Amino acid sequence: MFYDIVSIFPEYLEPLKLSLVGKALDDGLIGLRLWQLRDFTHDRHRTVDDTPYGGGPGMVMKPEPWGEALDAILAAPPAPGLTPTLVVPTPNGRRFTQRTAEEWSARAEQGWFIFACGRYEGIDSRVSEWARGVMPVEEVSIGDYVLPGGESAVLVMIEAVSRLLPGVLGNGESVTDDSFSIGEDGTLLEGPVFTKPPEWRGLTVPEILVSGHHGNIRRWRREEAELRTQRMRPDLRP
Ligand code: ADE
Protein backbone atom coordinates (compact mmCIF):
# COMPACT_ATOMS: atom_id res chain seq x y z
CA MET A 1 0.00 0.00 0.00
CA PHE A 2 1.37 3.39 -1.00
CA TYR A 3 0.36 6.75 0.35
CA ASP A 4 1.32 10.13 -1.09
CA ILE A 5 0.23 13.11 0.98
CA VAL A 6 0.27 16.72 -0.20
CA SER A 7 -0.03 19.44 2.43
CA ILE A 8 1.31 22.85 3.40
CA PHE A 9 2.09 21.20 6.78
CA PRO A 10 3.78 17.90 5.83
CA GLU A 11 5.25 17.75 9.37
CA TYR A 12 1.69 17.21 10.58
CA LEU A 13 1.84 13.73 9.07
CA GLU A 14 5.17 12.78 10.70
CA PRO A 15 3.38 10.89 13.53
CA LEU A 16 2.54 8.25 10.91
CA LYS A 17 6.17 7.18 11.34
CA LEU A 18 5.37 6.12 14.93
CA SER A 19 3.53 3.18 16.41
CA LEU A 20 1.66 0.63 14.29
CA VAL A 21 1.86 2.46 10.95
CA GLY A 22 5.52 3.32 11.62
CA LYS A 23 6.29 -0.37 12.16
CA ALA A 24 4.44 -1.25 8.93
CA LEU A 25 6.58 1.38 7.14
CA ASP A 26 9.77 -0.11 8.61
CA ASP A 27 8.59 -3.58 7.56
CA GLY A 28 7.98 -2.39 3.98
CA LEU A 29 4.23 -3.17 4.12
CA ILE A 30 3.44 0.50 3.47
CA GLY A 31 5.16 3.22 1.48
CA LEU A 32 4.75 6.88 2.43
CA ARG A 33 5.80 10.09 0.70
CA LEU A 34 5.08 13.56 2.09
CA TRP A 35 4.94 16.48 -0.34
CA GLN A 36 5.12 20.21 0.47
CA LEU A 37 2.52 21.98 -1.68
CA ARG A 38 4.53 25.23 -1.53
CA ASP A 39 7.35 23.50 -3.47
CA PHE A 40 5.03 23.75 -6.49
CA THR A 41 4.64 27.53 -6.36
CA HIS A 42 6.81 30.00 -8.30
CA ASP A 43 6.40 33.33 -6.51
CA ARG A 44 8.61 34.76 -3.78
CA HIS A 45 5.96 34.25 -1.09
CA ARG A 46 5.15 30.67 -2.15
CA THR A 47 1.48 31.62 -2.31
CA VAL A 48 -1.07 28.79 -2.25
CA ASP A 49 -4.32 30.71 -1.66
CA ASP A 50 -6.35 33.59 -3.03
CA THR A 51 -9.70 35.31 -2.44
CA PRO A 52 -12.84 33.47 -3.55
CA TYR A 53 -14.57 34.38 -6.79
CA GLY A 54 -18.04 35.68 -5.98
CA GLY A 55 -16.84 37.16 -2.71
CA GLY A 56 -17.33 35.88 0.81
CA PRO A 57 -15.07 35.16 3.77
CA GLY A 58 -11.85 33.18 3.82
CA MET A 59 -9.43 32.10 1.15
CA VAL A 60 -9.46 29.33 -1.46
CA MET A 61 -6.47 27.21 -2.46
CA LYS A 62 -5.22 28.09 -5.94
CA PRO A 63 -5.40 25.34 -8.56
CA GLU A 64 -1.94 25.77 -10.14
CA PRO A 65 0.24 24.44 -7.27
CA TRP A 66 -2.16 21.49 -6.87
CA GLY A 67 -1.98 20.72 -10.58
CA GLU A 68 1.82 20.76 -10.53
CA ALA A 69 2.02 18.67 -7.34
CA LEU A 70 -0.31 16.03 -8.78
CA ASP A 71 1.62 16.01 -12.09
CA ALA A 72 4.86 15.40 -10.15
CA ILE A 73 3.36 12.52 -8.15
CA LEU A 74 1.79 10.91 -11.23
CA ALA A 75 5.17 11.14 -12.96
CA ALA A 76 6.76 9.18 -10.09
CA PRO A 77 4.63 6.08 -9.44
CA PRO A 78 5.81 4.22 -6.30
CA ALA A 79 5.63 0.91 -8.21
CA PRO A 80 4.92 -0.03 -11.83
CA GLY A 81 1.37 -0.63 -13.04
CA LEU A 82 -0.55 1.13 -10.25
CA THR A 83 -3.48 3.51 -10.75
CA PRO A 84 -3.82 6.01 -7.93
CA THR A 85 -7.00 7.14 -6.24
CA LEU A 86 -7.08 10.79 -5.26
CA VAL A 87 -8.64 11.28 -1.83
CA VAL A 88 -9.78 14.79 -0.96
CA PRO A 89 -10.80 15.11 2.71
CA THR A 90 -13.62 17.60 3.04
CA PRO A 91 -16.63 18.03 5.31
CA ASN A 92 -18.69 18.06 2.08
CA GLY A 93 -17.72 14.53 1.04
CA ARG A 94 -19.15 11.03 1.47
CA ARG A 95 -18.74 9.64 4.98
CA PHE A 96 -15.58 7.58 5.63
CA THR A 97 -16.59 4.50 7.67
CA GLN A 98 -15.16 1.12 8.66
CA ARG A 99 -16.62 -0.17 5.35
CA THR A 100 -14.53 2.40 3.44
CA ALA A 101 -11.43 1.38 5.42
CA GLU A 102 -12.12 -2.28 4.54
CA GLU A 103 -12.60 -1.52 0.84
CA TRP A 104 -9.44 0.55 0.61
CA SER A 105 -7.33 -1.93 2.60
CA ALA A 106 -8.47 -4.78 0.31
CA ARG A 107 -6.39 -3.20 -2.46
CA ALA A 108 -3.26 -4.03 -0.37
CA GLU A 109 -0.15 -4.14 -2.64
CA GLN A 110 -2.14 -2.74 -5.57
CA GLY A 111 -3.27 0.24 -3.49
CA TRP A 112 -1.98 3.74 -4.20
CA PHE A 113 -3.69 6.69 -2.57
CA ILE A 114 -2.87 10.37 -3.04
CA PHE A 115 -4.28 12.52 -0.24
CA ALA A 116 -4.81 16.21 -1.00
CA CYS A 117 -4.98 18.13 2.29
CA GLY A 118 -6.86 21.35 1.79
CA ARG A 119 -6.77 24.31 4.20
CA TYR A 120 -8.77 27.54 4.38
CA GLU A 121 -12.13 27.29 2.56
CA GLY A 122 -10.89 24.35 0.49
CA ILE A 123 -9.27 23.74 -2.89
CA ASP A 124 -10.49 25.38 -6.13
CA SER A 125 -13.14 22.93 -7.38
CA ARG A 126 -11.51 22.62 -10.80
CA VAL A 127 -8.71 20.53 -9.25
CA SER A 128 -11.07 17.62 -8.47
CA GLU A 129 -12.84 18.13 -11.78
CA TRP A 130 -9.56 17.92 -13.71
CA ALA A 131 -8.32 14.97 -11.61
CA ARG A 132 -11.48 12.97 -12.38
CA GLY A 133 -10.35 12.85 -15.99
CA VAL A 134 -7.08 11.20 -14.91
CA MET A 135 -7.89 8.96 -11.91
CA PRO A 136 -10.72 8.03 -9.53
CA VAL A 137 -11.40 10.84 -7.06
CA GLU A 138 -13.04 10.34 -3.67
CA GLU A 139 -14.17 13.32 -1.63
CA VAL A 140 -14.62 12.02 1.91
CA SER A 141 -15.57 13.35 5.32
CA ILE A 142 -14.58 11.70 8.60
CA GLY A 143 -17.56 13.13 10.46
CA ASP A 144 -20.10 15.91 10.72
CA TYR A 145 -17.84 18.66 12.02
CA VAL A 146 -15.47 21.10 10.35
CA LEU A 147 -11.72 20.77 10.84
CA PRO A 148 -9.27 23.55 9.96
CA GLY A 149 -7.62 21.29 7.37
CA GLY A 150 -7.52 17.79 5.92
CA GLU A 151 -4.34 16.68 7.71
CA SER A 152 -5.92 15.22 10.84
CA ALA A 153 -8.57 13.49 8.69
CA VAL A 154 -5.78 11.88 6.66
CA LEU A 155 -4.10 10.65 9.85
CA VAL A 156 -7.40 9.07 10.84
CA MET A 157 -8.01 7.44 7.46
CA ILE A 158 -4.48 6.07 7.05
CA GLU A 159 -4.48 4.61 10.57
CA ALA A 160 -7.90 3.01 10.02
CA VAL A 161 -6.91 1.50 6.64
CA SER A 162 -3.38 0.42 7.56
CA ARG A 163 -4.30 -1.66 10.59
CA LEU A 164 -6.47 -3.82 8.29
CA LEU A 165 -3.61 -4.61 5.87
CA PRO A 166 -2.29 -8.18 5.98
CA GLY A 167 0.70 -8.45 8.35
CA VAL A 168 0.22 -5.08 10.09
CA LEU A 169 -1.41 -6.33 13.28
CA GLY A 170 0.64 -8.87 15.23
CA ASN A 171 -0.16 -12.56 15.48
CA GLY A 172 -3.19 -13.21 17.65
CA GLU A 173 -4.49 -9.66 17.23
CA SER A 174 -7.73 -9.77 15.34
CA VAL A 175 -9.99 -7.17 13.84
CA THR A 176 -13.05 -9.45 13.84
CA ASP A 177 -14.06 -8.40 17.38
CA ASP A 178 -13.78 -4.69 16.66
CA SER A 179 -16.66 -2.30 16.91
CA PHE A 180 -18.32 -2.04 13.47
CA SER A 181 -17.05 -5.55 12.60
CA ILE A 182 -19.20 -7.60 15.00
CA GLY A 183 -22.81 -8.46 14.36
CA GLU A 184 -24.12 -9.82 11.05
CA ASP A 185 -23.31 -6.66 9.13
CA GLY A 186 -20.93 -4.81 11.43
CA THR A 187 -23.62 -2.91 13.28
CA LEU A 188 -22.44 -3.57 16.84
CA LEU A 189 -20.09 -1.76 19.20
CA GLU A 190 -17.60 -3.82 21.18
CA GLY A 191 -18.59 -4.40 24.82
CA PRO A 192 -16.44 -3.90 27.96
CA VAL A 193 -12.99 -5.51 28.27
CA PHE A 194 -10.93 -6.50 31.34
CA THR A 195 -7.44 -7.70 32.23
CA LYS A 196 -5.60 -8.66 35.42
CA PRO A 197 -5.78 -8.16 38.38
CA PRO A 198 -9.12 -9.89 39.11
CA GLU A 199 -9.93 -7.26 41.75
CA TRP A 200 -8.96 -3.56 41.53
CA ARG A 201 -10.13 -0.80 43.90
CA GLY A 202 -12.93 -3.04 45.05
CA LEU A 203 -14.14 -3.74 41.51
CA THR A 204 -14.16 -7.29 40.19
CA VAL A 205 -14.16 -8.84 36.74
CA PRO A 206 -17.45 -10.43 35.56
CA GLU A 207 -17.44 -14.03 36.82
CA ILE A 208 -18.24 -15.47 33.41
CA LEU A 209 -14.95 -14.22 31.90
CA VAL A 210 -12.90 -16.29 34.36
CA SER A 211 -15.15 -19.36 34.02
CA GLY A 212 -13.21 -20.78 31.06
CA HIS A 213 -16.53 -21.61 29.37
CA HIS A 214 -15.96 -20.30 25.85
CA GLY A 215 -19.54 -20.75 24.62
CA ASN A 216 -20.95 -18.75 27.54
CA ILE A 217 -18.25 -16.10 27.14
CA ARG A 218 -19.11 -15.67 23.45
CA ARG A 219 -22.82 -15.31 24.27
CA TRP A 220 -22.11 -12.85 27.12
CA ARG A 221 -19.92 -10.69 24.87
CA ARG A 222 -22.58 -10.63 22.19
CA GLU A 223 -25.24 -9.54 24.74
CA GLU A 224 -22.96 -6.82 26.10
CA ALA A 225 -22.31 -5.61 22.55
CA GLU A 226 -26.07 -5.43 21.93
CA LEU A 227 -26.65 -3.56 25.21
CA ARG A 228 -23.89 -1.04 24.63
CA THR A 229 -25.00 -0.40 21.05
CA GLN A 230 -28.59 0.12 22.17
CA ARG A 231 -27.42 2.56 24.86
CA MET A 232 -24.72 4.49 22.97
CA ARG A 233 -25.64 4.21 19.28
CA PRO A 234 -29.25 3.14 18.75
CA ASP A 235 -28.93 4.63 15.23
CA LEU A 236 -26.67 1.70 14.22
CA ARG A 237 -29.41 -0.90 14.70
CA PRO A 238 -31.96 -1.65 11.98
N1 ADE B 1 -11.72 18.92 6.42
C1 ADE B 1 -12.39 19.73 7.22
N2 ADE B 1 -13.34 19.09 7.90
C2 ADE B 1 -13.26 17.78 7.52
C3 ADE B 1 -13.97 16.60 7.86
N3 ADE B 1 -14.96 16.60 8.74
N4 ADE B 1 -13.61 15.46 7.27
C4 ADE B 1 -12.62 15.42 6.37
N5 ADE B 1 -11.91 16.50 6.01
C5 ADE B 1 -12.22 17.67 6.58
Side-chain angles (χ1 to χ4, degrees), residues 51-88:
T51 54
Y53 273 122
M59 299 290 269
V60 174
M61 290 190 118
K62 294 161 64 60
E64 303 97 315
W66 280 107
E68 288 195 27
L70 294 173
D71 288 346
I73 295 170
L74 293 171
L82 302 182
T83 309
T85 295
L86 179 65
V87 178
V88 185

mmCIF file of all heavy atoms in Angstrom, residues 51-88:
data_model
loop_
_atom_site.group_PDB
_atom_site.id
_atom_site.type_symbol
_atom_site.label_atom_id
_atom_site.label_comp_id
_atom_site.label_asym_id
_atom_site.label_seq_id
_atom_site.Cartn_x
_atom_site.Cartn_y
_atom_site.Cartn_z
ATOM 1 N N THR A 51 -8.324 34.998 -2.861
ATOM 2 C CA THR A 51 -9.697 35.311 -2.444
ATOM 3 C C THR A 51 -10.704 34.569 -3.322
ATOM 4 O O THR A 51 -10.427 34.304 -4.497
ATOM 5 C CB THR A 51 -9.953 36.827 -2.544
ATOM 6 O OG1 THR A 51 -9.612 37.244 -3.871
ATOM 7 C CG2 THR A 51 -9.094 37.584 -1.547
ATOM 8 N N PRO A 52 -11.864 34.240 -2.771
ATOM 9 C CA PRO A 52 -12.838 33.468 -3.550
ATOM 10 C C PRO A 52 -13.548 34.317 -4.606
ATOM 11 O O PRO A 52 -13.934 35.447 -4.324
ATOM 12 C CB PRO A 52 -13.840 32.982 -2.493
ATOM 13 C CG PRO A 52 -13.695 33.909 -1.335
ATOM 14 C CD PRO A 52 -12.300 34.460 -1.368
ATOM 15 N N TYR A 53 -13.703 33.748 -5.801
ATOM 16 C CA TYR A 53 -14.573 34.378 -6.793
ATOM 17 C C TYR A 53 -15.983 34.435 -6.228
ATOM 18 O O TYR A 53 -16.429 33.500 -5.556
ATOM 19 C CB TYR A 53 -14.594 33.556 -8.080
ATOM 20 C CG TYR A 53 -13.485 33.910 -9.044
ATOM 21 C CD1 TYR A 53 -12.579 32.946 -9.465
ATOM 22 C CD2 TYR A 53 -13.369 35.209 -9.525
ATOM 23 C CE1 TYR A 53 -11.560 33.273 -10.352
ATOM 24 C CE2 TYR A 53 -12.350 35.546 -10.413
ATOM 25 C CZ TYR A 53 -11.455 34.574 -10.825
ATOM 26 O OH TYR A 53 -10.460 34.899 -11.689
ATOM 27 N N GLY A 54 -16.682 35.521 -6.480
ATOM 28 C CA GLY A 54 -18.042 35.676 -5.980
ATOM 29 C C GLY A 54 -18.093 36.310 -4.608
ATOM 30 O O GLY A 54 -19.177 36.552 -4.081
ATOM 31 N N GLY A 55 -16.906 36.526 -4.025
ATOM 32 C CA GLY A 55 -16.839 37.162 -2.713
ATOM 33 C C GLY A 55 -17.057 36.192 -1.576
ATOM 34 O O GLY A 55 -17.152 34.979 -1.788
ATOM 35 N N GLY A 56 -17.138 36.731 -0.369
ATOM 36 C CA GLY A 56 -17.329 35.883 0.814
ATOM 37 C C GLY A 56 -16.059 35.789 1.630
ATOM 38 O O GLY A 56 -14.999 36.252 1.214
ATOM 39 N N PRO A 57 -16.201 35.190 2.838
ATOM 40 C CA PRO A 57 -15.074 35.161 3.769
ATOM 41 C C PRO A 57 -14.055 34.090 3.393
ATOM 42 O O PRO A 57 -14.357 33.166 2.643
ATOM 43 C CB PRO A 57 -15.747 34.791 5.103
ATOM 44 C CG PRO A 57 -16.954 33.979 4.696
ATOM 45 C CD PRO A 57 -17.396 34.517 3.358
ATOM 46 N N GLY A 58 -12.862 34.229 3.935
ATOM 47 C CA GLY A 58 -11.850 33.185 3.817
ATOM 48 C C GLY A 58 -11.130 33.196 2.487
ATOM 49 O O GLY A 58 -11.329 34.077 1.647
ATOM 50 N N MET A 59 -10.267 32.216 2.333
ATOM 51 C CA MET A 59 -9.426 32.100 1.147
ATOM 52 C C MET A 59 -9.610 30.709 0.543
ATOM 53 O O MET A 59 -9.993 29.769 1.243
ATOM 54 C CB MET A 59 -7.957 32.289 1.540
ATOM 55 C CG MET A 59 -7.655 33.649 2.144
ATOM 56 S SD MET A 59 -7.761 34.976 0.930
ATOM 57 C CE MET A 59 -6.066 35.007 0.358
ATOM 58 N N VAL A 60 -9.320 30.606 -0.735
ATOM 59 C CA VAL A 60 -9.463 29.332 -1.455
ATOM 60 C C VAL A 60 -8.093 28.938 -1.976
ATOM 61 O O VAL A 60 -7.306 29.799 -2.383
ATOM 62 C CB VAL A 60 -10.475 29.487 -2.614
ATOM 63 C CG1 VAL A 60 -10.526 28.221 -3.475
ATOM 64 C CG2 VAL A 60 -11.866 29.833 -2.078
ATOM 65 N N MET A 61 -7.779 27.650 -1.950
ATOM 66 C CA MET A 61 -6.466 27.206 -2.456
ATOM 67 C C MET A 61 -6.435 27.273 -3.980
ATOM 68 O O MET A 61 -7.344 26.783 -4.656
ATOM 69 C CB MET A 61 -6.156 25.802 -1.962
ATOM 70 C CG MET A 61 -5.871 25.794 -0.470
ATOM 71 S SD MET A 61 -5.213 24.214 0.098
ATOM 72 C CE MET A 61 -3.613 24.765 0.692
ATOM 73 N N LYS A 62 -5.386 27.881 -4.494
ATOM 74 C CA LYS A 62 -5.216 28.090 -5.938
ATOM 75 C C LYS A 62 -5.012 26.751 -6.651
ATOM 76 O O LYS A 62 -4.343 25.859 -6.119
ATOM 77 C CB LYS A 62 -3.974 28.958 -6.191
ATOM 78 C CG LYS A 62 -4.088 30.373 -5.665
ATOM 79 C CD LYS A 62 -2.717 31.032 -5.520
ATOM 80 C CE LYS A 62 -1.998 31.219 -6.836
ATOM 81 N NZ LYS A 62 -2.744 32.081 -7.787
ATOM 82 N N PRO A 63 -5.533 26.635 -7.880
ATOM 83 C CA PRO A 63 -5.403 25.339 -8.559
ATOM 84 C C PRO A 63 -3.995 25.027 -9.079
ATOM 85 O O PRO A 63 -3.613 23.856 -9.125
ATOM 86 C CB PRO A 63 -6.396 25.453 -9.725
ATOM 87 C CG PRO A 63 -6.560 26.912 -9.964
ATOM 88 C CD PRO A 63 -6.368 27.584 -8.627
ATOM 89 N N GLU A 64 -3.208 26.068 -9.454
ATOM 90 C CA GLU A 64 -1.938 25.773 -10.142
ATOM 91 C C GLU A 64 -0.963 24.932 -9.318
ATOM 92 O O GLU A 64 -0.418 23.945 -9.839
ATOM 93 C CB GLU A 64 -1.238 27.065 -10.610
ATOM 94 C CG GLU A 64 -2.067 27.953 -11.518
ATOM 95 C CD GLU A 64 -2.738 29.073 -10.746
ATOM 96 O OE1 GLU A 64 -3.305 28.795 -9.662
ATOM 97 O OE2 GLU A 64 -2.718 30.226 -11.219
ATOM 98 N N PRO A 65 -0.701 25.282 -8.027
ATOM 99 C CA PRO A 65 0.236 24.435 -7.275
ATOM 100 C C PRO A 65 -0.272 22.999 -7.133
ATOM 101 O O PRO A 65 0.509 22.042 -7.217
ATOM 102 C CB PRO A 65 0.324 25.110 -5.894
ATOM 103 C CG PRO A 65 -0.194 26.495 -6.094
ATOM 104 C CD PRO A 65 -1.154 26.439 -7.243
ATOM 105 N N TRP A 66 -1.596 22.848 -6.972
ATOM 106 C CA TRP A 66 -2.160 21.494 -6.868
ATOM 107 C C TRP A 66 -1.952 20.721 -8.162
ATOM 108 O O TRP A 66 -1.580 19.538 -8.139
ATOM 109 C CB TRP A 66 -3.651 21.559 -6.507
ATOM 110 C CG TRP A 66 -3.842 21.794 -5.045
ATOM 111 C CD1 TRP A 66 -4.253 22.945 -4.456
ATOM 112 C CD2 TRP A 66 -3.587 20.851 -3.995
ATOM 113 N NE1 TRP A 66 -4.275 22.784 -3.087
ATOM 114 C CE2 TRP A 66 -3.869 21.510 -2.787
ATOM 115 C CE3 TRP A 66 -3.137 19.539 -3.966
ATOM 116 C CZ2 TRP A 66 -3.724 20.891 -1.548
ATOM 117 C CZ3 TRP A 66 -2.981 18.904 -2.739
ATOM 118 C CH2 TRP A 66 -3.271 19.579 -1.552
ATOM 119 N N GLY A 67 -2.180 21.389 -9.293
ATOM 120 C CA GLY A 67 -1.982 20.723 -10.584
ATOM 121 C C GLY A 67 -0.542 20.245 -10.736
ATOM 122 O O GLY A 67 -0.285 19.096 -11.110
ATOM 123 N N GLU A 68 0.399 21.120 -10.363
ATOM 124 C CA GLU A 68 1.819 20.756 -10.526
ATOM 125 C C GLU A 68 2.217 19.655 -9.549
ATOM 126 O O GLU A 68 3.002 18.758 -9.889
ATOM 127 C CB GLU A 68 2.706 21.992 -10.332
ATOM 128 C CG GLU A 68 2.586 22.957 -11.497
ATOM 129 C CD GLU A 68 3.709 23.987 -11.513
ATOM 130 O OE1 GLU A 68 4.817 23.694 -10.985
ATOM 131 O OE2 GLU A 68 3.479 25.090 -12.038
ATOM 132 N N ALA A 69 1.696 19.717 -8.336
ATOM 133 C CA ALA A 69 2.019 18.674 -7.344
ATOM 134 C C ALA A 69 1.497 17.318 -7.829
ATOM 135 O O ALA A 69 2.218 16.306 -7.782
ATOM 136 C CB ALA A 69 1.418 19.034 -5.988
ATOM 137 N N LEU A 70 0.268 17.304 -8.310
ATOM 138 C CA LEU A 70 -0.309 16.030 -8.778
ATOM 139 C C LEU A 70 0.432 15.519 -10.010
ATOM 140 O O LEU A 70 0.707 14.311 -10.125
ATOM 141 C CB LEU A 70 -1.811 16.193 -9.050
ATOM 142 C CG LEU A 70 -2.645 16.481 -7.795
ATOM 143 C CD1 LEU A 70 -4.096 16.790 -8.162
ATOM 144 C CD2 LEU A 70 -2.583 15.313 -6.804
ATOM 145 N N ASP A 71 0.822 16.432 -10.922
ATOM 146 C CA ASP A 71 1.617 16.009 -12.090
ATOM 147 C C ASP A 71 2.914 15.336 -11.631
ATOM 148 O O ASP A 71 3.312 14.296 -12.169
ATOM 149 C CB ASP A 71 1.983 17.222 -12.963
ATOM 150 C CG ASP A 71 0.783 17.786 -13.719
ATOM 151 O OD1 ASP A 71 -0.260 17.100 -13.785
ATOM 152 O OD2 ASP A 71 0.899 18.921 -14.241
ATOM 153 N N ALA A 72 3.573 15.938 -10.627
ATOM 154 C CA ALA A 72 4.860 15.397 -10.154
ATOM 155 C C ALA A 72 4.674 14.008 -9.543
ATOM 156 O O ALA A 72 5.489 13.099 -9.775
ATOM 157 C CB ALA A 72 5.482 16.349 -9.124
ATOM 158 N N ILE A 73 3.593 13.833 -8.794
ATOM 159 C CA ILE A 73 3.361 12.524 -8.154
ATOM 160 C C ILE A 73 3.023 11.477 -9.211
ATOM 161 O O ILE A 73 3.553 10.365 -9.197
ATOM 162 C CB ILE A 73 2.237 12.641 -7.093
ATOM 163 C CG1 ILE A 73 2.686 13.560 -5.964
ATOM 164 C CG2 ILE A 73 1.857 11.259 -6.559
ATOM 165 C CD1 ILE A 73 1.583 13.939 -4.990
ATOM 166 N N LEU A 74 2.176 11.857 -10.166
ATOM 167 C CA LEU A 74 1.789 10.911 -11.225
ATOM 168 C C LEU A 74 2.988 10.520 -12.084
ATOM 169 O O LEU A 74 3.043 9.411 -12.618
ATOM 170 C CB LEU A 74 0.685 11.519 -12.103
ATOM 171 C CG LEU A 74 -0.661 11.733 -11.411
ATOM 172 C CD1 LEU A 74 -1.606 12.533 -12.306
ATOM 173 C CD2 LEU A 74 -1.301 10.393 -11.042
ATOM 174 N N ALA A 75 3.968 11.432 -12.163
ATOM 175 C CA ALA A 75 5.167 11.136 -12.963
ATOM 176 C C ALA A 75 6.151 10.253 -12.201
ATOM 177 O O ALA A 75 7.153 9.815 -12.756
ATOM 178 C CB ALA A 75 5.844 12.451 -13.362
ATOM 179 N N ALA A 76 5.845 9.986 -10.910
ATOM 180 C CA ALA A 76 6.760 9.180 -10.090
ATOM 181 C C ALA A 76 5.997 8.083 -9.355
ATOM 182 O O ALA A 76 5.921 8.086 -8.119
ATOM 183 C CB ALA A 76 7.473 10.097 -9.081
ATOM 184 N N PRO A 77 5.408 7.137 -10.113
ATOM 185 C CA PRO A 77 4.633 6.078 -9.437
ATOM 186 C C PRO A 77 5.529 5.297 -8.471
ATOM 187 O O PRO A 77 6.694 5.049 -8.778
ATOM 188 C CB PRO A 77 4.155 5.180 -10.575
ATOM 189 C CG PRO A 77 4.591 5.800 -11.847
ATOM 190 C CD PRO A 77 5.515 6.937 -11.551
ATOM 191 N N PRO A 78 4.995 4.934 -7.293
ATOM 192 C CA PRO A 78 5.809 4.221 -6.299
ATOM 193 C C PRO A 78 6.143 2.794 -6.726
ATOM 194 O O PRO A 78 7.081 2.205 -6.221
ATOM 195 C CB PRO A 78 4.932 4.225 -5.047
ATOM 196 C CG PRO A 78 3.539 4.451 -5.538
ATOM 197 C CD PRO A 78 3.645 5.232 -6.807
ATOM 198 N N ALA A 79 5.359 2.250 -7.676
ATOM 199 C CA ALA A 79 5.630 0.906 -8.209
ATOM 200 C C ALA A 79 4.995 0.862 -9.589
ATOM 201 O O ALA A 79 4.046 1.603 -9.864
ATOM 202 C CB ALA A 79 5.033 -0.167 -7.294
ATOM 203 N N PRO A 80 5.480 -0.006 -10.481
ATOM 204 C CA PRO A 80 4.919 -0.032 -11.829
ATOM 205 C C PRO A 80 3.494 -0.576 -11.862
ATOM 206 O O PRO A 80 3.135 -1.431 -11.051
ATOM 207 C CB PRO A 80 5.865 -0.974 -12.603
ATOM 208 C CG PRO A 80 6.867 -1.486 -11.646
ATOM 209 C CD PRO A 80 6.585 -0.959 -10.285
ATOM 210 N N GLY A 81 2.688 -0.051 -12.781
ATOM 211 C CA GLY A 81 1.367 -0.631 -13.041
ATOM 212 C C GLY A 81 0.266 -0.245 -12.079
ATOM 213 O O GLY A 81 -0.809 -0.830 -12.112
ATOM 214 N N LEU A 82 0.487 0.738 -11.217
ATOM 215 C CA LEU A 82 -0.553 1.126 -10.254
ATOM 216 C C LEU A 82 -1.350 2.315 -10.784
ATOM 217 O O LEU A 82 -0.810 3.203 -11.431
ATOM 218 C CB LEU A 82 0.063 1.523 -8.911
ATOM 219 C CG LEU A 82 0.932 0.504 -8.191
ATOM 220 C CD1 LEU A 82 1.409 1.094 -6.857
ATOM 221 C CD2 LEU A 82 0.173 -0.783 -7.956
ATOM 222 N N THR A 83 -2.653 2.324 -10.491
ATOM 223 C CA THR A 83 -3.479 3.510 -10.753
ATOM 224 C C THR A 83 -3.826 4.135 -9.410
ATOM 225 O O THR A 83 -4.360 3.436 -8.543
ATOM 226 C CB THR A 83 -4.807 3.132 -11.448
ATOM 227 O OG1 THR A 83 -4.495 2.310 -12.563
ATOM 228 C CG2 THR A 83 -5.556 4.372 -11.902
ATOM 229 N N PRO A 84 -3.521 5.407 -9.234
ATOM 230 C CA PRO A 84 -3.817 6.015 -7.932
ATOM 231 C C PRO A 84 -5.285 6.394 -7.794
ATOM 232 O O PRO A 84 -5.981 6.580 -8.789
ATOM 233 C CB PRO A 84 -2.952 7.268 -7.938
ATOM 234 C CG PRO A 84 -2.861 7.650 -9.380
ATOM 235 C CD PRO A 84 -2.894 6.366 -10.167
ATOM 236 N N THR A 85 -5.722 6.507 -6.565
ATOM 237 C CA THR A 85 -7.002 7.137 -6.241
ATOM 238 C C THR A 85 -6.666 8.428 -5.507
ATOM 239 O O THR A 85 -5.847 8.417 -4.586
ATOM 240 C CB THR A 85 -7.850 6.227 -5.336
ATOM 241 O OG1 THR A 85 -8.183 5.050 -6.064
ATOM 242 C CG2 THR A 85 -9.139 6.923 -4.893
ATOM 243 N N LEU A 86 -7.278 9.516 -5.949
ATOM 244 C CA LEU A 86 -7.078 10.787 -5.261
ATOM 245 C C LEU A 86 -8.142 10.920 -4.174
ATOM 246 O O LEU A 86 -9.339 10.839 -4.468
ATOM 247 C CB LEU A 86 -7.183 11.958 -6.237
ATOM 248 C CG LEU A 86 -7.008 13.347 -5.610
ATOM 249 C CD1 LEU A 86 -5.598 13.546 -5.052
ATOM 250 C CD2 LEU A 86 -7.336 14.447 -6.625
ATOM 251 N N VAL A 87 -7.705 11.096 -2.937
ATOM 252 C CA VAL A 87 -8.642 11.279 -1.828
ATOM 253 C C VAL A 87 -8.564 12.734 -1.380
ATOM 254 O O VAL A 87 -7.478 13.240 -1.053
ATOM 255 C CB VAL A 87 -8.304 10.347 -0.644
ATOM 256 C CG1 VAL A 87 -9.266 10.589 0.517
ATOM 257 C CG2 VAL A 87 -8.341 8.885 -1.080
ATOM 258 N N VAL A 88 -9.715 13.390 -1.396
ATOM 259 C CA VAL A 88 -9.782 14.786 -0.960
ATOM 260 C C VAL A 88 -10.631 14.852 0.303
ATOM 261 O O VAL A 88 -11.858 14.699 0.237
ATOM 262 C CB VAL A 88 -10.386 15.689 -2.062
ATOM 263 C CG1 VAL A 88 -10.337 17.151 -1.630
ATOM 264 C CG2 VAL A 88 -9.671 15.489 -3.392
#
